[in-house]
Amino acid sequence: MTWVSSSATLLRNDTSELSDLMRVEQDLTERKLSEGIKQVLIMNLKSTQTELERSIKARDEFINICSHELKTPVTSLGLQFQVADRQIKSGDPTVYSEARVKRRVDLVNRQLEKLNQLIEDMLDISRVASGRLQLLREGIDPADQLGALGVQLEIEVQEAKFEGDAYRIEQVITNLVTHAMKHEDGKPVHVKVSSAQPDSVILSIRDEGIGIAPSRLKTIFGRFERAISSTNISGLGLGMYLSQQIVQEHGGSIEVSSEVSSGTTFVVKLPKAPAGV
Amino acid sequence: MSNSASIYVIEDDQDIRDSLVEILELEGYAPEGFSNGQEAIESLQCPKSLPEVMLLDLMMPVMGGREFLQAREQLDPSVRSIPVYLLSAVVPYRGPLEGQVAGQMRKPVNIDDLLSVIERHAKGSRPQKSRAA
Ligand SMILES: Nc1ncnc2c1ncn2[C@@H]1O[C@H](COP(=O)(O)OP(=O)(O)O)[C@@H](O)[C@H]1O
């Protein structure tokens, strides 16, 4: 069956070759398959096509957002240096004042960090997409990682250590806790670590904030999805996707439940000793 | 510098906004920063004095550039006649309100271009100060 292999290739390089799909569809129509089978196959192809079109649109939107996000720190850096340049050329001595120099250095550092973070996220995305996210196996104490974030902890079981990639797990925890704190709406964030089950650790991060609408909730772990509209730029929309990928690579799972204006809970379940990591 | 031209800088990124304000101050203007369209609209509704030029970012939280241009349509004609300059990563902006902006400028912004645009629009009101070059 030609269409099986073609559609498999299509799914792998999801961004390209809608035309392949058309060709397969044409192929099918020309073959003497029974009308029933033909209908089912064509329906499958149609839904794959819709799916592809959606993901291409999401990718384009993503590139757009990336450019915007990258331009922001670049603009800021450019402005700083242009102002300094003008002042130097005009002989304005305040350009060398300690306060001004300090302010510029701080700003430049901040913007460079922003740029670096954006680039890291984009690299991570491509690592994940090509299966090159290499995980280390080391001892992790989630209480340590959470402590560093300054959130109040409710630790159910003291011994919640497990094995995995500390840097990656920290990335997940930071992402979930940062979102919870960002959307908390002035109410406390509850973080619970438990290892009630013998072979896994459960982290739950709950806020009583603005919540997420049901329609958005479905796509929150999507690759380029952001729960808010595109005029409310807040990031690349990669955080949740990457978090889910990291947790899954560890053999774990991540779930979300939410109700608008009463809050959101993320539950991360990680095996204490992941296989294959 | 009480009679120097007032300029609105409507931009959500604080570092960009602060830099623009700094440049304009150094050039002798009286800039005022707003972190979204809504804040600027509020200020335009009960102005002590109207700005002579507005610099507007497109993508901002709460109220972006497009929505700002729409909301501005509802205001007094004296406000509607103030030139708005778009500064955006994604220019040229094409849309129904395209005709209502005095011009567009792509980020990263070139200061010399920006200043010459402002000088053209805020004519005459800049004090004969700091232009050394
Ligand atoms: N605790 C939360 N409460 C409300 N919304 C949330 C919460 N956590 C995540 N979100 C929403 O999920 C979206 C996706 O997050 P993420 O993938 O990290 O992308 P980004 O933060 O770059 O937009 C965010 O834009 C945010 O609106």
Side-chain angles (χ1 to χ4, degrees):
Chain A
M1 291 282 269
T2 12
W3 80 272
V4 176
S5 60
S6 306
S7 73
T9 347
L10 265 173
L11 288 176
R12 237 177 301 118
N13 48 21
D14 62 4
T15 57
S16 60
E17 313 315 334
L18 264 178
S19 57
D20 265 11
L21 203 57
M22 310 294 192
R23 211 186 50 231
V24 176
E25 200 176 309
Q26 208 177 358
D27 258 19
L28 280 175
T29 339
E30 282 163 10
R31 280 188 196 193
K32 292 196 177 91
L33 291 170
S34 86
E35 199 49 34
I37 296 180
K38 204 151 68 180
Q39 284 313 319
V40 172
L41 291 178
I42 288 174
M43 249 162 60
N44 280 343
L45 283 170
K46 287 254 158 67
S47 86
T48 312
Q49 182 173 355
T50 316
E51 188 63 18
L52 273 169
E53 278 164 354
R54 214 190 68 89
S55 88
I56 290 171
K57 206 169 146 241
R59 186 206 53 187
D60 290 347
E61 162 86 339
F62 172 75
I63 292 174
N64 204 8
I65 291 166
C66 267
S67 323
H68 179 272
E69 294 289 297
L70 285 170
K71 276 215 175 173
T72 304
V74 170
T75 301
S76 203
L77 289 169
L79 284 173
Q80 281 304 310
F81 285 111
Q82 290 182 75
V83 182
D85 193 37
R86 277 182 90 82
Q87 284 182 291
I88 291 167
K89 282 184 183 140
S90 70
D92 180 349
T94 63
V95 67
Y96 306 108
S97 82
E98 194 178 330
R100 228 178 249 278
V101 171
K102 174 90 176 68
R103 199 144 48 88
R104 261 193 241 299
V105 169
D106 286 348
L107 181 140
V108 168
N109 278 331
R110 205 161 49 234
Q111 300 302 330
L112 285 177
E113 207 164 291
K114 218 191 241 180
L115 272 174
N116 192 45
Q117 189 53 54
L118 287 167
I119 295 167
E120 284 296 330
D121 280 357
M122 290 195 253
L123 282 174
D124 279 352
I125 267 290
S126 84
R127 284 190 192 113
V128 165
S130 59
R132 282 184 289 116
L133 194 69
Q134 281 163 4
L135 298 178
L136 299 175
R137 184 167 187 155
E138 49 203 336
I140 299 175
D141 187 347
D144 270 0
Q145 297 191 335
L146 285 160
L149 288 172
V151 281
Q152 261 207 329
L153 278 182
E154 304 164 34
I155 299 193
E156 214 172 58
V157 181
Q158 291 302 329
E159 232 0 81
K161 296 202 176 69
F162 62 99
E163 286 186 347
D165 190 315
Y167 170 74
R168 293 298 175 185
I169 294 297
E170 189 178 340
Q171 209 177 331
V172 173
I173 292 177
T174 307
N175 181 36
L176 296 179
V177 171
T178 318
H179 270 306
M181 303 212 282
K182 205 154 65 179
H183 300 101
E184 58 165 7
D185 214 11
K187 295 180 208 84
V189 172
H190 309 272
V191 182
K192 204 157 82 179
V193 183
S194 89
S195 66
Q197 293 175 9
D199 50 3
S200 52
V201 173
I202 292 173
L203 301 171
S204 107
I205 293 125
R206 179 166 66 88
D207 67 67
E208 297 165 30
I210 58 171
I212 305 167
S215 57
R216 307 270 194 202
L217 204 55
K218 275 185 269 167
T219 58
I220 193 169
F221 294 115
R223 178 142 31 153
F224 304 127
E225 305 287 350
R226 291 191 304 169
I228 38 173
S229 76
S230 64
T231 45
N232 283 305
I233 300 296
S234 75
L236 292 179
L238 293 180
M240 289 299 163
Y241 172 73
L242 286 173
S243 296
Q244 189 191 42
Q245 296 296 312
I246 291 168
V247 169
Q248 284 175 357
E249 289 284 313
H250 277 84
S253 64
I254 177 168
E255 270 162 30
V256 58
S257 58
S258 183
E259 206 168 308
V260 172
S261 35
S262 63
T264 307
T265 306
F266 284 94
V267 177
V268 181
K269 190 171 161 187
L270 287 160
K272 283 186 185 161
V277 169
Chain B
M1 255 190 274
S2 56
N3 64 345
S4 53
S6 150
I7 296 169
Y8 277 14
V9 178
I10 313 166
E11 157 71 59
D12 63 328
D13 185 89
Q14 188 178 351
D15 282 336
I16 296 183
R17 192 172 65 239
D18 288 353
S19 298
L20 287 171
V21 165
E22 181 188 5
I23 294 158
L24 294 170
E25 270 170 357
L26 284 168
E27 290 296 315
Y29 293 108
E32 206 175 328
F34 301 90
S35 60
N36 62 61
Q38 182 65 42
E39 287 179 12
I41 289 287
E42 274 160 26
S43 173
L44 288 168
Q45 274 164 342
C46 48
K48 277 173 243 104
S49 64
L50 287 174
E52 294 193 23
V53 185
M54 297 192 260
L55 305 179
L56 177 68
D57 184 23
L58 262 190
M59 296 218 239
M60 291 179 287
V62 187
M63 184 192 274
R66 289 179 188 80
E67 294 86 350
F68 171 84
L69 289 173
Q70 268 155 18
R72 188 182 71 132
E73 287 302 285
Q74 313 306 317
L75 300 181
D76 192 76
S78 60
V79 173
R80 275 182 279 153
S81 64
I82 302 168
V84 173
Y85 231 85
L86 277 188
L87 304 183
S88 177
V90 288
V91 297
Y93 160 68
R94 300 266 174 261
L97 296 166
E98 191 187 341
Q100 280 144 46
V101 297
Q104 312 196 13
M105 201 169 275
R106 184 188 273 275
K107 286 178 179 173
V109 179
N110 178 298
I111 292 189
D112 294 329
D113 294 349
L114 180 74
L115 290 175
S116 70
V117 158
I118 290 178
E119 194 159 17
R120 204 160 64 231
H121 289 294
K123 36 188 154 1
S125 358
R126 196 180 60 149
Q128 295 302 319
K129 199 212 137 212
S130 62
R131 182 119 199 166

